[in-house]
Amino acid sequence: MKPAADVPAATGGQPPAPDGFAEWRMAARALLKAGVPPEAADWGRADGGDLFSGAPGAAGADDHGAAPSSSPSSPTAPPGPAARIPRALMDMLQSAACFRAPDRWAFLYRVLWRWTHGEHDVQSPADPDGARLHGMVKAVRREEHDMHAYIRFRERPPEAGDPRFVAWFEPRHDVLPQVAEHFIARMGKRSWMIATPEASVLWDGATLHHAGPLMAGPAALEDQGEALWLTYYRSIFNPARVNAQLMQSHIPSRFWKNLPEGAIVPSLVSQAELGARKIGQVATVGRRGGATIPISAEAAQPEREQPSRLDECRRCELWQYATQAVGGEGEAHSPIMIVGEQPGDQEDLAGKPFVGPAGQLLDRVFAQAGVDRKTIYLTNAVKHFKWEPRGKRRLHKTPVQREIEACHYWLEKELAEVRPKVIVAMGATALKSIMRKGTVTLKDFLGKPVRVDGCWVITIYHPSYVLRVPDEAAKHEAFSVMVEGMKLAHGLLAQSEAD
Ligand code: URA
């Protein structure tokens, strides 16, 4: 959008609607200052009206020199107070501004107007405008998440030059600029382009360039010729500036390209570069679009389609941050099922349960208890790694009951498939999932077998707890509790087979 000052103040021309939040904000501030009520403000082509075509002089210049005005025939209220908008509301307005709706600017102005005129309820989901605002913000955030998860970059042959990676996406809302920031952080110095039907962003390793639509569609990803977008890119790209860094980064590239999962998105490249293995998604994760299905919604809509494959699961938010879902493994019809908490950092990357330090300790428990790992079925209560960043590390975070409940769906499927006679719950999360109760505590069940749905359930410590216990004697004691629990599991099995 042109600055308001550039737009003729005559009634004939149709200047465009604000093309971004900053312009809207500037115009809205001026309208507020001039006391123009929402119903008297036209918001350009997108609303079929014209923000800047009002009677000359109806509004004062705003802080930035823009001079929006009311419609000539519309009444204006007395000049409004200088708006002091709380940060939280401004953030919501900014997010909602990315929501594609023909009346978005008018709607945002109405919210702003109401708030500045004392109607603070407008920020509440209980208010009709507030509910719409919250819904817009949620949809925009979901779209951002989906773009983070679903964008698949294609690596171009080295001889094709820059950009090295290209992706095509069709976002539902105008989230490309903020999504670009996310990929700058993820992709490091590599050059890339994300094209959408409405706009494109190009990262040359140092600077982000915004452009209009440069590709006709996903088919153009295959096009190695002189497509429009490449021409444009070459015109702005300065290889001399980034070549050295690109050369330095060839090791991580070799690393990820040689992985058997060749389709891993370049997020892993950047993670390797940063030494931070985070937020990568293998190609199989997130192919199916769609929103997280909260448990409450599922209860309200029992007929709603449920995921049939673990890697399609959106039953809670955890899928967004994990590399992949980690299912159980082992003897398909083992009479003993061992349930842990959730995959850890190494399991998340490997796609297998208990392959990291906790798994090694568990192997020692198995050895002492005389259990052959191959004969049992090993799984977790929660199938996605939940973590928080700590420097360059991903630190385990305990899943909450809502997540445990969401993932119980998968444990139930495993139980129906494997049909164990004895379940070993390792730690509180496993216990909560098996008992389907968030209030159960480890100390009440530790070492005490109980019957649940025809199965024996024996609770022991989680191996990570044993690893964490600082005191050697206590560590030894906790380890013994695990060993005894495993032995008891075998005893219970023998007993239930005799029954
Ligand atoms: N901890 C768990 O509970 N499960 C794993 O798979 C790894 C660590």
Side-chain angles (χ1 to χ4, degrees):
M1 180 186 179
K2 291 186 220 158
D6 290 345
V7 177
T11 50
Q14 279 266 18
D19 74 355
F21 183 71
E23 281 189 10
W24 171 83
R25 182 177 167 162
M26 209 158 74
R29 194 186 294 156
L31 287 174
L32 274 183
K33 207 165 162 189
V36 179
E39 57 280 9
D42 291 332
W43 285 92
R45 273 205 297 253
D47 292 313
D50 178 356
L51 170 61
F52 301 109
S53 64
D62 77 0
D63 305 354
H64 300 269
S69 72
S70 63
S71 281
S73 57
S74 305
T76 56
R84 290 229 176 279
I85 310 301
R87 181 83 246 159
L89 177 59
M90 205 37 107
D91 287 348
M92 287 187 81
L93 294 173
Q94 186 160 8
S95 271
C98 303
F99 187 97
R100 286 187 195 151
D103 66 337
R104 75 178 112 169
W105 305 116
F107 171 71
L108 297 187
Y109 183 61
R110 184 164 74 236
V111 170
L112 191 63
W113 173 272
R114 287 187 54 199
W115 200 94
T116 53
H117 287 76
E119 291 186 56
H120 292 182
D121 281 358
V122 73
Q123 218 182 329
S124 156
D127 178 277
D129 283 339
R132 184 177 175 201
L133 183 67
H134 280 265
M136 289 165 84
V137 169
K138 207 164 155 200
V140 164
R141 296 208 172 128
R142 188 185 306 143
E143 194 63 16
E144 290 169 3
H145 279 140
D146 281 356
M147 272 186 90
H148 296 168
Y150 299 145
I151 277 192
R152 297 286 178 267
F153 283 94
R154 299 275 190 91
E155 185 176 12
R156 301 178 62 240
E159 62 277 12
D162 293 303
R164 298 288 297 112
F165 298 93
V166 291
W168 168 260
F169 200 87
E170 293 173 33
R172 280 192 222 124
H173 300 295
D174 297 332
V175 296
L176 187 57
Q178 58 267 43
V179 167
E181 295 300 325
H182 170 88
F183 282 102
I184 289 172
R186 266 172 79 170
M187 301 277 286
K189 300 281 182 212
R190 277 151 207 286
S191 59
W192 50 260
M193 173 174 118
I194 302 172
T196 75
E198 300 79 23
S200 314
V201 283
L202 303 102
W203 172 249
D204 64 14
T207 307
L208 186 69
H209 305 270
H210 294 267
L214 295 174
M215 267 171 50
L221 286 177
E222 312 294 347
D223 182 8
Q224 299 304 327
E226 288 294 308
L228 223 195
W229 61 271
L230 277 180
T231 312
Y232 173 86
Y233 190 79
R234 288 199 182 106
S235 74
I236 59 161
F237 187 69
N238 177 3
R241 197 167 55 220
V242 290
N243 265 358
Q245 288 138 331
L246 285 174
M247 281 165 65
Q248 281 163 11
S249 59
H250 75 282
I251 292 173
S253 166
R254 214 177 55 211
F255 157 64
W256 74 262
K257 277 197 294 197
N258 290 336
L259 286 174
E261 314 90 298
I264 286 178
V265 294
S267 60
L268 287 185
V269 175
S270 61
Q271 291 153 21
E273 269 174 333
L274 296 169
R277 296 166 301 187
K278 57 181 182 181
I279 335 184
Q281 298 272 341
V282 290
T284 51
V285 178
R287 239 187 228 139
R288 178 169 171 268
T292 300
I293 306 168
I295 305 307
S296 51
E298 182 193 322
Q301 298 174 287
E303 76 287 1
R304 189 164 178 165
E305 187 196 342
Q306 290 298 331
S308 58
R309 286 185 9 205
L310 187 54
D311 63 3
E312 293 174 338
C313 187
R314 304 288 182 266
R315 291 173 54 84
C316 75
E317 304 289 333
L318 296 185
W319 64 272
Q320 290 171 15
Y321 309 105
T323 304
Q324 57 195 311
V326 179
E329 70 167 22
E331 176 56 46
H333 298 298
S334 170
I336 299 184
M337 179 184 282
I338 299 183
V339 185
E341 185 196 66
Q342 62 168 348
D345 181 74
Q346 296 198 26
E347 288 80 11
D348 169 79
L349 295 170
K352 287 172 178 298
F354 289 102
V355 294
Q360 282 154 22
L361 188 127
L362 187 58
D363 283 341
R364 284 174 43 216
V365 171
F366 286 154
Q368 286 242 345
V371 175
D372 180 354
R373 180 165 169 160
K374 289 199 286 297
T375 64
I376 47 123
Y377 187 88
L378 197 51
T379 191
N380 284 299
V382 171
K383 313 297 196 220
H384 282 115
F385 179 34
K386 181 176 179 182
W387 57 276
E388 61 188 350
R390 185 68 53 84
K392 290 182 175 178
R393 292 176 54 223
R394 300 190 300 176
L395 227 59
H396 159 276
K397 250 186 121 178
T398 305
V400 296
Q401 185 61 20
R402 177 172 45 78
E403 292 151 353
I404 298 172
E405 268 298 306
C407 221
H408 185 82
Y409 174 81
W410 296 107
L411 185 61
E412 218 156 64
K413 275 185 185 288
E414 289 175 299
L415 286 168
E417 192 66 28
V418 179
R419 283 181 279 112
K421 295 205 161 53
V422 181
I423 304 171
V424 181
M426 297 198 300
T429 298
L431 181 65
K432 286 174 186 172
S433 178
I434 292 160
M435 306 304 282
R436 301 215 68 175
K437 209 166 171 196
T439 51
V440 291
T441 62
L442 198 62
K443 71 173 169 33
D444 289 338
F445 286 84
L446 201 63
K448 296 178 201 149
V450 288
R451 296 283 282 179
V452 177
D453 296 336
C455 256
W456 280 110
V457 175
I458 169 82
T459 304
I460 62 175
Y461 288 121
H462 189 279
S464 301
Y465 168 74
V466 181
L467 288 173
R468 274 199 318 270
V469 176
D471 171 63
E472 269 315 306
K475 194 188 275 297
H476 189 264
E477 169 61 23
F479 185 84
S480 302
V481 170
M482 290 193 73
V483 173
E484 290 312 308
M486 289 295 175
K487 287 182 179 166
L488 184 55
H490 273 81
L492 291 166
L493 177 59
Q495 185 186 319
S496 65
E497 276 167 353
D499 288 346

